[in-house]
Amino acid sequence: MPHDGNFVILNPAPYWGDSTIPKIDLNYVASAAALQIGDVFKIRTPSEFGSAKIIGYEIHHSMPADGSLLLAIAEPLSGFQPSDTHILVADQSLRDCKPLCASRRGIPNPSTSAKIREAIRKEANQPAGYHATEIIILEGNFTRKNSTQYIAYIRFGEYPDDKWQTTIFDSDLTVISMLGENEYAHIKPLAVGDINQDGFDEIWTELQGSEGRHFALWYWRGGSGKDAFRAIATAYDGL
């Protein structure tokens, strides 16, 4: 395991973890890696689109988590300068759909928001003695193309005794799917956008824990209920 002892030199990590191991066998990694040096990928963040080329590999180490992560290192092309790389999607065939799939943070009007707050309080079965300390509600088209639907996150109380739930509601405020509740990492919506141009919005989220976080992009798999949505998540960074 990598460490900061006498025989392994560590450098500050620009992305995941707190240090990097600079000397690795690139040929050995390339023989097993799906992403090859020289490959060009299209990159989409919640707010930007561009291209990047794989130029190498790095092993990043997190001392608090006592874990390591092998990463492919990509260099932006043609002046692409993403402002935030905590969460992004990459694919060689990803199209630039410009405003059609740009992320957005549509918020319901006050009357609708009040109804959604009440619906999620009931769905989450608000614990006795707890009050709502954070609510996030965003509009989108998650399972129906021509109907406004909603994703709502609610937190009751304060850490370490807080409770939470993240739920997707249909236009009539019936429940389509509950993404999660009362687990370690709160599922907090950041924005929505139709990345693959199928008419349905994906959901950019932060998975926020008390001692670390990661990020995920949720997409609809079909149907409703617990397994209707799945997430593409980054590696957890923290204890």
Side-chain angles (χ1 to χ4, degrees):
M1 291 296 294
H3 59 80
D4 55 357
N6 293 328
F7 64 89
V8 176
I9 300 174
L10 301 178
N11 295 330
Y15 177 60
W16 187 91
D18 44 35
S19 56
T20 65
I21 302 171
K23 293 184 179 181
I24 63 175
D25 188 335
L26 295 181
N27 291 330
Y28 176 78
V29 173
S31 68
L35 306 183
Q36 294 294 305
I37 294 175
D39 287 349
V40 175
F41 286 82
K42 302 296 183 181
I43 307 292
R44 178 165 291 284
T45 73
S47 58
E48 294 142 327
F49 180 85
S51 300
K53 181 172 69 173
I54 304 298
I55 60 171
Y57 308 99
E58 283 183 355
I59 296 175
H60 287 213
H61 184 64
S62 172
M63 296 296 288
D66 192 25
S68 299
L69 184 67
L70 174 64
L71 296 171
I73 306 304
E75 180 179 66
L77 301 176
S78 304
F80 178 44
Q81 295 182 327
S83 57
D84 186 355
T85 57
H86 281 101
I87 179 171
L88 55 82
V89 292
D91 189 86
Q92 290 178 313
S93 60
L94 192 65
R95 292 188 296 167
D96 183 6
C97 44
K98 297 187 183 336
L100 293 177
C101 65
S103 65
R104 59 191 190 280
R105 290 183 54 85
I107 300 173
N109 62 54
S111 175
T112 302
S113 292
K115 294 177 182 178
I116 296 170
R117 288 189 181 95
E118 184 61 26
I120 195 172
R121 281 190 178 98
K122 291 180 179 179
E123 177 64 24
N125 193 16
Q126 181 170 349
Y130 284 67
H131 64 281
T133 52
E134 185 177 7
I135 298 177
I136 302 171
I137 304 171
L138 298 179
E139 296 178 333
N141 303 103
F142 307 115
T143 66
R144 291 198 287 164
K145 299 179 181 180
N146 299 313
S147 180
T148 300
Q149 299 168 313
Y150 311 96
I151 179 167
Y153 161 84
I154 190 168
R155 177 166 65 98
F156 300 107
E158 300 289 352
Y159 176 81
D161 298 319
D162 54 342
K163 309 293 183 182
W164 66 274
Q165 186 179 110
T166 302
T167 307
I168 296 177
F169 291 95
D170 210 338
S171 55
D172 62 357
L173 302 189
T174 57
V175 175
I176 298 173
S177 180
M178 186 183 70
L179 298 187
E181 68 172 342
N182 299 337
E183 298 171 2
Y184 171 72
H186 296 219
I187 302 171
K188 302 180 68 170
L190 299 174
V192 306
D194 183 8
I195 295 174
N196 58 355
Q197 289 187 280
D198 63 353
F200 303 109
D201 287 318
E202 285 72 49
I203 308 163
W204 302 90
T205 63
E206 177 183 2
L207 307 181
Q208 184 185 73
S210 58
E211 297 179 311
R213 63 175 182 168
H214 51 150
F215 297 85
L217 181 74
W218 295 79
Y219 62 96
W220 185 44
R221 300 174 67 242
S224 60
K226 181 180 179 181
D227 297 324
F229 288 82
R230 281 287 185 268
I232 303 170
T234 62
Y236 176 74
D237 194 5
L239 292 176

